[in-house]
Amino acid sequence: MSRPLIRVPELVRIKAGALGRLGLYVGRAGLRRVVLLHSEGLLETILGAALHSLEEHGIAVGLRQTVRDASVEEAVRLLGVLPSAASAVVGLGGGKALDVAKYAASLAGLAYFAVPTSLSNDGFCSPQSSLTLQGKRRSLPAALPYAVVADLQVCQGAPLALWHSGIGDLCSKFTAVADWRLAFRARGTPVNDLAALLSDATVYQFMANPARSLEGIQLLATALLLNGVSMEIAGSSRPASGSEHLISHALDMTGARPRLHGLQTGTAAYLVSGVQGGPHHARIGALLETTGFWESVRAEPFSKAEWKTAIELAPGVKDDFHTILSERDAWPAIEQTIDSDPALAGCFD
Amino acid sequence: MSRPLIRVPELVRIKAGALGRLGLYVGRAGLRRVVLLHSEGLLETILGAALHSLEEHGIAVGLRQTVRDASVEEAVRLLGVLPSAASAVVGLGGGKALDVAKYAASLAGLAYFAVPTSLSNDGFCSPQSSLTLQGKRRSLPAALPYAVVADLQVCQGAPLALWHSGIGDLCSKFTAVADWRLAFRARGTPVNDLAALLSDATVYQFMANPARSLEGIQLLATALLLNGVSMEIAGSSRPASGSEHLISHALDMTGARPRLHGLQTGTAAYLVSGVQGGPHHARIGALLETTGFWESVRAEPFSKAEWKTAIELAPGVKDDFHTILSERDAWPAIEQTIDSDPALAGCFD
Amino acid sequence: MSRPLIRVPELVRIKAGALGRLGLYVGRAGLRRVVLLHSEGLLETILGAALHSLEEHGIAVGLRQTVRDASVEEAVRLLGVLPSAASAVVGLGGGKALDVAKYAASLAGLAYFAVPTSLSNDGFCSPQSSLTLQGKRRSLPAALPYAVVADLQVCQGAPLALWHSGIGDLCSKFTAVADWRLAFRARGTPVNDLAALLSDATVYQFMANPARSLEGIQLLATALLLNGVSMEIAGSSRPASGSEHLISHALDMTGARPRLHGLQTGTAAYLVSGVQGGPHHARIGALLETTGFWESVRAEPFSKAEWKTAIELAPGVKDDFHTILSERDAWPAIEQTIDSDPALAGCFD
Amino acid sequence: MSRPLIRVPELVRIKAGALGRLGLYVGRAGLRRVVLLHSEGLLETILGAALHSLEEHGIAVGLRQTVRDASVEEAVRLLGVLPSAASAVVGLGGGKALDVAKYAASLAGLAYFAVPTSLSNDGFCSPQSSLTLQGKRRSLPAALPYAVVADLQVCQGAPLALWHSGIGDLCSKFTAVADWRLAFRARGTPVNDLAALLSDATVYQFMANPARSLEGIQLLATALLLNGVSMEIAGSSRPASGSEHLISHALDMTGARPRLHGLQTGTAAYLVSGVQGGPHHARIGALLETTGFWESVRAEPFSKAEWKTAIELAPGVKDDFHTILSERDAWPAIEQTIDSDPALAGCFD
């Protein structure tokens, strides 16, 4: 009997100072010529450190481009200009640039080095890219990175709200797994228990030290990385994405202002876990409280009306995707939480 | 660039009542005829539940055997009597029986279902079997299980000392990873960071609820399971086994009485982590304290003289395996801890 | 030590009547809803047989589209319109439609069924798609098909010139492998001997019965299929594509009229093998003679002037790709063959 | 949808002079210390060449042993004496020694280099070892070799009868595949068409030059090697072993004298293919005639009485293994062929 085979990154470096060793890691993999795709508005010091390290180790940068927008069309444009002699793509920056870089590398069949400069979501090591195609948001399969290089000092220096966003995205694993198990009971959706247990475990292990210290950031990076592995094991995004992501997608489609993905999914996970029942609501609450997550929400409160709409639309966002929202009208319970939970004071207008 | 491919179990069920569904799981995998290999002295209720479930789902048990001793010779004997029509091996019971069953299934190329009745070590899902060969203890490669079925109620009912043993084995991941990183700095031993981070994460996640409740036992089972996966990723036992395991092996070779593996490795991890430095000594201490681990040690205290001998022998137990014990004489510091650490009062004679 | 892992098609059916069982094969794979992408101008009887078989076995065709041109842009367009409920893509028809269908399925992460209606080249089961991107011809990585369903009667009924084209493409494996070994000696290009031996073997096995009978067509289909596997083993197109393909690419770029790929590569393989030396020139000659290959060339003779230009351009078509053409000016020897080899009488203007 | 992943050897060298480069190949794989297991009675020149090449490239031979008998017990004995520092096993010699060496390497989880000195059967690269266990012949799963190094000059110098044996083993692929397809029609035994087509193709490609020249021997080695790959694809020995192997096994169990495996299977394939019908009987006949196969049989004729017994016993040799012999009493037709086929004159007593 064969057992499933999953790909994992060949090289992982999650440590302080990793950016300054980027060239060393690329060179050790036997690569000599790379393409660098990075975020717009990336700090000059970060870009400079990456380029310096590559140069120092004799790695030629055959092409350097800013990623303009997170679309399949942009990835295909980049595919068209990749020099034929390049043997790897380095994606440097935030979530959007990395999604495009990962997709372009996957199309070209090249080794991909994910070098996140913040930890705002779990996309840097997932087997999908979230991109628009013909203007519509899609989640498309992409190869897991060949390498993940996360410099803890760089990530520590990213804006506080991005850290909160990563924590929010992480909390949504609890609700995603609960929805997955619900879908099994309600509709027989197959659950891969290994992926589900691993996904839950990523939240638990972050709870051991949910601080913005180097160690705490290493735990967060590890958690988000292992989430990518759990999606690879599951062969789907189910272990990482449930009703809380449906709500976030619906907010993206209908809300007035774009907000950080993880602020949306984290808040939604808190609300949905209350409806799902069980001990996770309190755990998510404690984690968000401890880390000051709500401060980042309060800085620009959500619209209660928009959330009401989003929660109504959420069950229809994906075909054949059963969650707690397929089973009951969650709005009354959620509205009550929004109105009366002291933790949420000031988080909604 | 290719990325490594790792095998993971196809089917994982870690839940209350899983034993009563064993036949269902076997049948769903399309298997109709199995061999059952189990521990000596297994509770009749557990054996009966397994047989009943298999029968209920129409699974024929072509052969049922008690595993006599944990040796390659015993596994080869079982290989010789496996009926040719069997399509899977079910291993039921404790660590030794499961190591033999896993090895025999691996030799025969059959699907293997690991059904642990206690969680006393991380062997139920590891890619090795610890067996004697010609009377000498060896760690031999074996295929990861096709399936892991851990009934949380059954495991909860196992003797307290076995639970403590599993916790002790888990704590040794912290020291094993620290030794691995040390071996990289001292001798260039390659470290697979993904495996190292995953191995550390298994301890952190158990710390979220280190109780003998069903949830706590699920966390422990998940932790030990993921350790097997980390060894598979690493292609070695390095993420799970360091100087604390060397000490335990030396105790097995020279000590007067055999003791539970995890009581030895857990105690050794506590002692060694103090020599390694860093925050893990305190973490291990807190975990062992919280769970009452030392009570199981005190029930039959270790011999200080035997430990002294074992710690001296430990660096020579494996060829080319650098650990903290290769760097310095740890005994003075360890002796002081044994003599003066209040946590250890009554643990050593 | 790990050994390489290669993917091979899960399901292969190369037999008379396979088209009428397409629905059976799709259904057996547990798929219920497919997208059908097919060639323009496909015979109604063939399209009808496919649709009938799918319907007969309860497979819904969620979308049916004609592939317009062999471009990445067309594949991305199709990706955008794939219904989300589809679980597989069926590509039906000739080489171009299949290249696009394979690429679109690969982008979408869906199972892909290759159903070639002729055997004019080895693309139906290769791990690449030959497509234009921004107007430029590119060879892009694509997943090997999940299934290959080749109906021998349908392929037998395809125009004679397409059969000759497949034979020509097959013969070029001899010259491709010889060029690969040359590149090893000249520049250290690594050769995967298993892929090289398999690629050569595909030609040898077709020589056992190079007829347009059902058995002969089965041998040709098997040969081209195994070439795809050899490329998968090699991780490159080297075992299947050498100097003869460079010439063909150069002809495509500069020639006045597009010609069948395999008529170009087969003729080029015959010419180049004479320059390479060894027994393959005679073998290719015998195979092309026996099968009447030159008749299809004579039906529309090549331009000697265009070939001269193409052979001069060929070494520059790919970067860092050493072949016999990198080593010497082959034109004088080739011109003499064109002018004086009786086999080629009437093949060049 | 996942496609199956198969392992193939990482390194293949099938060329004249390969033995003298053995140390180079081992060294290139990054290995420094090997164990050499070889046949009893191996020519000193061959053993010397291997040792010289290893020494020349700085490869230490940590242990050198003669393989005593082809048993699991012998492989386990060798496992027990393998030095822990060895990183590879080199098997040098004939079929039996290589089967044991492959199995011992597989048990130890070490890289295995198969260095056959003759091509008398397809075992040097198959995913099984044919060994006795507790005195009973068994076919047990073993890892495919990491490397196959076949020196064509060495194999050319092996006794003529061994070459004939390899050809006989190769011919049995035709009958094995025919039996497999029969088992599908009669009992639904699943057929992997890719493996079946590849297995047939190995015979066809040898037919291109069935000579004892270097090229002919390369074709034979390639054919037998690809048979190992076809078994790996199939996940069973079905593409390589059918009723002709059952007869050979029955002869081994009941016959008075042991004979070369391939002389038995080749003769059985010739006889059985006549009962199966179709064009393969004539093809096998022509191949055996051309290569002088029958001369090696006539040197020590088979016993007609023993064959009669073997053919009667054959259907019962393996459980649940349908072949042409399950369907009819083949003896009358086979006896007539033995008695009247001029090709077989002198082959049976």
Side-chain angles (χ1 to χ4, degrees):
Chain A
M1 298 284 295
S2 72
R3 264 133 303 164
L5 285 149
I6 62 158
R7 290 194 185 276
V8 295
E10 166 73 23
L11 182 150
V12 171
R13 286 294 178 277
I14 297 185
K15 56 184 273 184
L19 185 63
R21 301 163 74 84
L22 176 60
L24 178 69
Y25 303 144
V26 172
R28 265 194 205 147
L31 305 164
R32 289 281 152 257
R33 182 173 290 271
V34 302
V35 168
L36 179 64
L37 305 179
H38 62 81
S39 298
E40 275 194 291
L42 188 64
L43 283 181
E44 275 305 311
T45 50
I46 291 176
L47 183 57
L51 290 170
H52 176 74
S53 177
L54 291 168
E55 190 187 16
E56 190 184 359
H57 291 88
I59 312 298
V61 178
L63 178 79
R64 172 149 71 94
Q65 293 250 324
T66 302
V67 175
R68 293 180 206 156
D69 68 317
S71 67
V72 172
E73 290 80 3
E74 171 73 348
V76 169
R77 179 188 75 78
L78 290 166
L79 177 67
V81 300
L82 288 184
S84 66
S87 48
V89 171
V90 174
L92 175 68
K96 286 189 182 174
L98 265 56
D99 259 359
V100 173
K102 179 167 61 178
Y103 198 69
S106 194
L107 290 178
L110 296 179
Y112 170 59
F113 283 69
V115 189
T117 54
S118 65
L119 298 169
S120 59
N121 63 56
D122 63 9
F124 63 86
C125 186
S126 71
Q128 286 114 28
S129 278
S130 177
L131 301 171
T132 58
L133 170 59
Q134 297 153 12
K136 241 182 95 176
R137 205 178 149 286
R138 295 283 296 267
S139 186
L140 293 163
L144 269 196
Y146 171 81
V148 173
V149 177
D151 189 318
L152 297 176
Q153 286 168 319
V154 169
C155 293
Q156 195 181 31
L160 177 64
L162 295 179
W163 184 61
H164 285 147
S165 177
I167 293 165
D169 206 28
L170 180 60
C171 285
S172 56
K173 308 321 162 196
F174 274 159
T175 42
V177 169
D179 278 327
W180 199 9
R181 297 201 185 280
L182 198 68
F184 171 71
R185 289 191 296 272
R187 297 222 207 144
T189 303
V191 171
N192 182 310
D193 244 40
L194 175 60
L197 292 166
L198 175 56
S199 193
D200 273 349
T202 66
V203 196
Y204 287 125
Q205 62 102 30
F206 177 63
M207 287 161 54
N209 189 7
R212 209 170 162 215
S213 63
L214 288 183
E215 196 193 51
I217 285 183
Q218 189 181 41
L219 288 179
L220 180 59
T222 300
L224 296 172
L225 170 75
L226 291 174
N227 256 290
V229 174
S230 79
M231 287 186 252
E232 179 81 7
I233 291 174
S236 81
S237 62
R238 266 289 192 180
S241 166
S243 54
E244 76 298 324
H245 271 72
L246 296 183
I247 294 171
S248 176
H249 296 336
L251 282 170
D252 288 341
M253 292 188 293
T254 61
R257 300 158 303 178
R259 307 294 304 277
L260 280 172
H261 172 76
L263 295 187
Q264 292 182 165
T265 56
T267 302
Y270 179 65
L271 296 172
V272 165
S273 60
V275 183
Q276 288 174 330
H280 286 337
H281 183 62
R283 282 175 181 146
I284 293 173
L287 200 49
L288 298 182
E289 194 65 40
T290 301
T291 57
F293 175 90
W294 301 118
E295 290 311 314
S296 286
V297 174
R298 278 183 203 110
E300 191 184 3
F302 291 122
S303 151
K304 190 172 144 186
E306 284 181 7
W307 277 68
K308 180 171 192 238
T309 305
I311 286 166
E312 280 162 6
L313 290 174
V317 165
K318 284 194 193 180
D319 292 343
D320 193 25
F321 194 88
H322 189 89
T323 70
I324 185 72
L325 301 181
S326 318
E327 302 205 341
R328 72 175 85 161
D329 177 9
W331 181 246
I334 286 176
E335 184 174 33
Q336 190 180 333
T337 305
I338 289 176
D339 290 343
S340 63
D341 188 331
L344 297 179
C347 291
F348 284 82
D349 278 343
Chain B
M1 298 284 297
S2 73
R3 264 132 301 164
L5 285 148
I6 61 159
R7 289 193 185 278
V8 294
E10 167 73 23
L11 183 149
V12 172
R13 285 294 178 275
I14 297 185
K15 55 184 273 183
L19 185 63
R21 300 164 73 84
L22 176 60
L24 178 69
Y25 303 144
V26 173
R28 264 194 205 149
L31 304 164
R32 289 281 152 258
R33 182 175 290 273
V34 302
V35 169
L36 179 64
L37 305 179
H38 61 81
S39 297
E40 275 194 292
L42 189 64
L43 284 180
E44 275 306 311
T45 50
I46 290 176
L47 184 56
L51 290 170
H52 176 75
S53 178
L54 291 167
E55 189 187 18
E56 190 184 2
H57 291 88
I59 313 298
V61 178
L63 178 79
R64 172 148 72 93
Q65 293 250 325
T66 301
V67 175
R68 295 180 204 155
D69 67 318
S71 68
V72 172
E73 290 79 4
E74 170 73 347
V76 169
R77 180 188 74 77
L78 291 166
L79 177 67
V81 299
L82 288 185
S84 67
S87 47
V89 172
V90 174
L92 175 68
K96 285 187 182 176
L98 265 56
D99 258 0
V100 173
K102 179 168 63 178
Y103 199 68
S106 194
L107 290 178
L110 296 179
Y112 171 58
F113 284 67
V115 190
T117 55
S118 64
L119 298 169
S120 59
N121 64 55
D122 63 8
F124 64 86
C125 187
S126 71
Q128 285 115 28
S129 279
S130 178
L131 301 171
T132 59
L133 170 60
Q134 297 152 12
K136 239 183 97 177
R137 201 176 153 289
R138 295 284 297 267
S139 186
L140 293 164
L144 269 197
Y146 173 80
V148 173
V149 177
D151 188 319
L152 297 177
Q153 286 167 320
V154 169
C155 294
Q156 196 181 29
L160 178 64
L162 295 179
W163 184 62
H164 285 146
S165 177
I167 292 166
D169 206 28
L170 181 61
C171 286
S172 57
K173 309 321 162 195
F174 273 159
T175 42
V177 169
D179 277 327
W180 199 9
R181 296 200 184 281
L182 197 68
F184 171 72
R185 288 191 296 271
R187 296 222 207 144
T189 302
V191 171
N192 183 312
D193 244 41
L194 176 60
L197 292 166
L198 175 56
S199 192
D200 273 349
T202 65
V203 196
Y204 286 124
Q205 61 102 29
F206 178 63
M207 287 161 53
N209 189 7
R212 211 171 162 215
S213 63
L214 288 183
E215 195 193 51
I217 285 182
Q218 188 180 42
L219 287 179
L220 180 59
T222 299
L224 297 172
L225 169 75
L226 291 175
N227 256 290
V229 174
S230 79
M231 286 186 253
E232 178 82 7
I233 291 174
S236 82
S237 62
R238 265 289 190 180
S241 166
S243 54
E244 76 299 322
H245 271 71
L246 297 183
I247 294 171
S248 176
H249 296 336
L251 283 170
D252 288 341
M253 292 187 294
T254 61
R257 303 157 301 177
R259 307 293 305 278
L260 281 171
H261 172 76
L263 295 188
Q264 292 181 164
T265 56
T267 302
Y270 178 65
L271 296 172
V272 166
S273 60
V275 184
Q276 288 173 331
H280 285 338
H281 183 62
R283 282 175 181 146
I284 292 172
L287 200 49
L288 297 182
E289 194 66 41
T290 302
T291 57
F293 174 91
W294 302 118
E295 290 311 314
S296 287
V297 174
R298 280 184 202 110
E300 190 183 7
F302 291 121
S303 150
K304 189 171 144 187
E306 284 181 8
W307 276 68
K308 179 169 192 238
T309 305
I311 286 167
E312 279 164 6
L313 292 174
V317 166
K318 284 194 194 180
D319 292 343
D320 193 26
F321 193 88
H322 188 89
T323 69
I324 185 73
L325 301 181
S326 318
E327 303 205 340
R328 71 176 86 162
D329 176 8
W331 181 247
I334 286 176
E335 184 173 33
Q336 190 181 335
T337 305
I338 289 176
D339 291 343
S340 64
D341 188 330
L344 297 179
C347 293
F348 284 82
D349 278 343
Chain C
M1 298 283 297
S2 72
R3 264 134 303 164
L5 286 148
I6 61 158
R7 290 194 184 276
V8 294
E10 167 72 24
L11 182 150
V12 171
R13 286 295 177 275
I14 297 186
K15 56 185 273 182
L19 185 62
R21 300 163 74 83
L22 176 59
L24 178 69
Y25 303 144
V26 172
R28 266 194 204 148
L31 305 164
R32 289 282 151 257
R33 182 174 291 271
V34 302
V35 168
L36 179 64
L37 305 179
H38 61 81
S39 298
E40 275 195 291
L42 188 64
L43 284 180
E44 274 307 310
T45 50
I46 291 176
L47 183 56
L51 290 170
H52 176 75
S53 176
L54 291 168
E55 189 186 16
E56 191 184 358
H57 291 88
I59 312 298
V61 178
L63 178 78
R64 172 150 71 94
Q65 292 251 325
T66 301
V67 175
R68 293 181 204 156
D69 68 317
S71 67
V72 172
E73 290 80 3
E74 171 73 348
V76 169
R77 181 189 73 78
L78 291 165
L79 177 66
V81 299
L82 288 184
S84 67
S87 48
V89 171
V90 174
L92 175 69
K96 287 187 180 175
L98 265 56
D99 259 359
V100 173
K102 179 167 63 180
Y103 198 70
S106 194
L107 290 179
L110 296 178
Y112 170 58
F113 284 67
V115 190
T117 54
S118 65
L119 298 169
S120 59
N121 63 57
D122 63 8
F124 64 87
C125 187
S126 70
Q128 286 114 28
S129 278
S130 177
L131 301 170
T132 59
L133 170 60
Q134 298 152 12
K136 242 183 94 177
R137 203 177 151 286
R138 296 283 296 267
S139 187
L140 293 163
L144 270 196
Y146 172 80
V148 174
V149 178
D151 188 318
L152 297 177
Q153 286 166 320
V154 169
C155 293
Q156 195 181 30
L160 178 63
L162 295 179
W163 184 61
H164 284 147
S165 178
I167 293 166
D169 205 28
L170 181 60
C171 286
S172 56
K173 308 320 164 197
F174 274 159
T175 42
V177 169
D179 277 328
W180 198 9
R181 297 202 184 280
L182 198 68
F184 171 71
R185 289 190 296 271
R187 298 223 206 141
T189 303
V191 171
N192 182 311
D193 244 41
L194 176 60
L197 291 166
L198 175 56
S199 193
D200 273 349
T202 66
V203 196
Y204 287 126
Q205 62 102 29
F206 177 64
M207 287 161 54
N209 188 7
R212 211 170 161 215
S213 63
L214 288 183
E215 195 192 52
I217 285 181
Q218 188 180 41
L219 287 179
L220 181 58
T222 299
L224 297 171
L225 169 74
L226 291 175
N227 256 290
V229 175
S230 79
M231 286 185 253
E232 179 80 7
I233 291 173
S236 82
S237 62
R238 266 288 191 180
S241 166
S243 55
E244 77 298 323
H245 271 72
L246 296 183
I247 294 171
S248 176
H249 296 337
L251 282 170
D252 288 343
M253 293 188 293
T254 61
R257 300 156 305 176
R259 306 296 303 277
L260 280 172
H261 172 76
L263 295 187
Q264 292 181 165
T265 57
T267 301
Y270 180 65
L271 295 171
V272 165
S273 60
V275 183
Q276 288 174 329
H280 286 338
H281 183 61
R283 282 173 181 147
I284 293 173
L287 200 49
L288 298 182
E289 194 66 40
T290 302
T291 56
F293 174 90
W294 301 118
E295 289 311 314
S296 286
V297 174
R298 279 184 202 108
E300 192 183 2
F302 291 121
S303 150
K304 188 172 144 186
E306 285 182 7
W307 277 68
K308 180 173 190 229
T309 304
I311 287 167
E312 279 163 6
L313 291 174
V317 165
K318 285 194 194 180
D319 292 344
D320 194 26
F321 194 89
H322 189 88
T323 70
I324 184 74
L325 300 181
S326 318
E327 302 205 340
R328 71 175 85 163
D329 177 9
W331 181 247
I334 287 176
E335 183 173 33
Q336 191 179 334
T337 305
I338 290 176
D339 290 342
S340 63
D341 188 331
L344 297 179
C347 291
F348 284 83
D349 276 344
Chain D
M1 298 283 296
S2 72
R3 264 133 302 164
L5 284 148
I6 61 159
R7 289 196 185 276
V8 294
E10 167 72 23
L11 182 151
V12 172
R13 286 293 178 277
I14 297 184
K15 55 184 273 185
L19 185 62
R21 301 163 74 82
L22 176 59
L24 178 69
Y25 303 144
V26 172
R28 265 194 206 148
L31 305 164
R32 289 283 151 257
R33 183 175 290 271
V34 302
V35 168
L36 180 64
L37 304 179
H38 61 81
S39 298
E40 274 194 291
L42 188 64
L43 283 180
E44 275 305 312
T45 50
I46 290 176
L47 183 56
L51 289 170
H52 176 76
S53 178
L54 291 168
E55 190 187 17
E56 190 185 359
H57 291 88
I59 312 298
V61 177
L63 178 79
R64 172 149 72 95
Q65 292 250 325
T66 302
V67 175
R68 295 180 203 155
D69 68 317
S71 68
V72 172
E73 289 81 3
E74 170 73 348
V76 169
R77 180 188 73 78
L78 290 166
L79 177 67
V81 298
L82 288 185
S84 66
S87 48
V89 172
V90 174
L92 175 68
K96 286 187 182 175
L98 265 56
D99 259 0
V100 173
K102 179 167 62 180
Y103 198 68
S106 194
L107 290 178
L110 296 179
Y112 170 58
F113 283 69
V115 190
T117 55
S118 64
L119 298 169
S120 60
N121 63 57
D122 63 9
F124 64 85
C125 186
S126 71
Q128 286 115 29
S129 279
S130 178
L131 301 170
T132 58
L133 170 60
Q134 297 152 13
K136 241 183 94 177
R137 203 180 151 287
R138 295 282 297 267
S139 187
L140 293 163
L144 268 195
Y146 172 80
V148 174
V149 178
D151 188 317
L152 297 176
Q153 286 167 320
V154 169
C155 294
Q156 196 181 29
L160 178 63
L162 295 178
W163 183 61
H164 284 147
S165 177
I167 293 166
D169 205 29
L170 181 60
C171 285
S172 56
K173 308 321 162 194
F174 274 159
T175 42
V177 169
D179 278 327
W180 198 9
R181 296 202 184 280
L182 198 68
F184 171 71
R185 288 190 297 270
R187 298 223 206 143
T189 303
V191 171
N192 182 311
D193 244 41
L194 177 59
L197 291 166
L198 175 56
S199 193
D200 273 349
T202 66
V203 196
Y204 286 125
Q205 61 101 30
F206 177 62
M207 287 161 54
N209 189 9
R212 211 171 161 213
S213 63
L214 288 183
E215 196 193 50
I217 286 181
Q218 188 180 42
L219 288 179
L220 180 59
T222 300
L224 297 172
L225 170 75
L226 291 175
N227 255 289
V229 175
S230 79
M231 286 186 254
E232 179 81 7
I233 292 173
S236 81
S237 62
R238 265 288 190 180
S241 166
S243 54
E244 76 298 324
H245 270 72
L246 297 183
I247 294 171
S248 177
H249 296 338
L251 282 170
D252 289 341
M253 293 187 293
T254 61
R257 301 158 303 176
R259 305 294 305 278
L260 281 172
H261 172 76
L263 295 187
Q264 292 182 165
T265 56
T267 301
Y270 179 65
L271 295 172
V272 165
S273 61
V275 184
Q276 287 175 330
H280 285 338
H281 183 61
R283 282 173 181 148
I284 292 173
L287 200 49
L288 298 182
E289 194 66 41
T290 301
T291 57
F293 175 91
W294 302 118
E295 289 311 312
S296 286
V297 174
R298 279 183 202 110
E300 191 184 4
F302 292 122
S303 150
K304 190 173 143 185
E306 284 182 7
W307 277 68
K308 181 171 190 231
T309 305
I311 286 166
E312 278 163 5
L313 292 174
V317 165
K318 284 194 194 179
D319 292 344
D320 194 27
F321 194 87
H322 188 88
T323 70
I324 185 73
L325 301 180
S326 318
E327 302 206 340
R328 71 174 86 162
D329 176 9
W331 181 246
I334 285 177
E335 182 173 36
Q336 191 180 334
T337 304
I338 289 176
D339 291 343
S340 64
D341 189 330
L344 297 179
C347 291
F348 285 83
D349 277 344

